[in-house]
Amino acid sequence: MNTSLYVGAMARRDPGVEKNDSNGSGGCKPASGPLSQHQLSLLAETFRLLGDPTRLRILLFCLTTPRAVGEIAENLDLSQTLVSHHLRLLRGARLVRGDRHSRQVFYQVDDEHVGHMLMDMANHVAEDASGS
């Protein structure tokens, strides 16, 4: 799958993150303050799930429009069983949601935070690849 479709799109600033430029670092921090130990564990688990290239491909494919399992499997050249397995894990982490229409379930990225994070990281990788 060609991720350049997503890399070129403009990413909007996430309202849930505020800039902390008081030290000139340009860093970001959660708007609600420091994360608890439980929240850090959930964040680490989320990044572990995102460490699988197949799951990333599925997320990127579902970024712009809801997709059925069969469509995901066909376009990414994966078995429906494998796609369903990965979607179950992604749903459990609240990275995708499924909406049932008749006998089919259509999956899409769960919310804007997830989409923005994926876009930001794709843009980051593209910058590194271009030598910027």
Side-chain angles (χ1 to χ4, degrees):
M1 182 177 141
N2 183 357
T3 57
S4 64
L5 297 172
Y6 309 109
V7 173
M10 282 182 52
R12 287 167 274 165
R13 187 172 179 272
D14 184 349
V17 175
E18 60 186 47
K19 284 289 190 180
N20 180 11
D21 291 328
S22 60
N23 64 4
S25 70
C28 295
K29 65 178 182 178
S32 61
L35 297 175
S36 69
Q37 187 63 41
H38 176 70
Q39 289 169 319
L40 283 171
S41 295
L42 289 174
L43 183 60
E45 177 63 17
T46 299
F47 280 111
R48 186 190 69 76
L49 285 170
L50 293 172
D52 183 282
T54 300
R55 285 191 282 268
L56 276 176
R57 289 175 62 212
I58 291 169
L59 278 171
L60 290 170
F61 189 68
C62 296
L63 191 61
T64 57
T65 187
R67 311 283 188 158
V69 173
E71 181 183 3
I72 297 168
E74 183 179 323
N75 282 277
L76 300 183
D77 197 28
L78 302 167
S79 73
Q80 286 193 9
T81 303
L82 183 62
V83 170
S84 293
H85 168 73
H86 285 299
L87 286 169
R88 181 181 57 81
L89 296 172
L90 293 169
R91 266 194 334 263
R94 297 181 324 157
L95 295 172
V96 296
R97 71 172 181 267
D99 297 314
R100 182 171 292 281
H101 297 279
S102 186
R103 297 184 71 184
Q104 284 190 309
V105 178
F106 291 85
Y107 293 91
Q108 63 187 23
V109 171
D110 190 37
D111 63 29
E112 287 188 29
H113 295 103
V114 174
H116 289 288
M117 184 269 310
L118 289 169
M119 294 292 301
D120 287 345
M121 293 309 296
N123 285 323
H124 177 71
V125 169
E127 288 171 0
D128 287 350
S130 67
S132 300

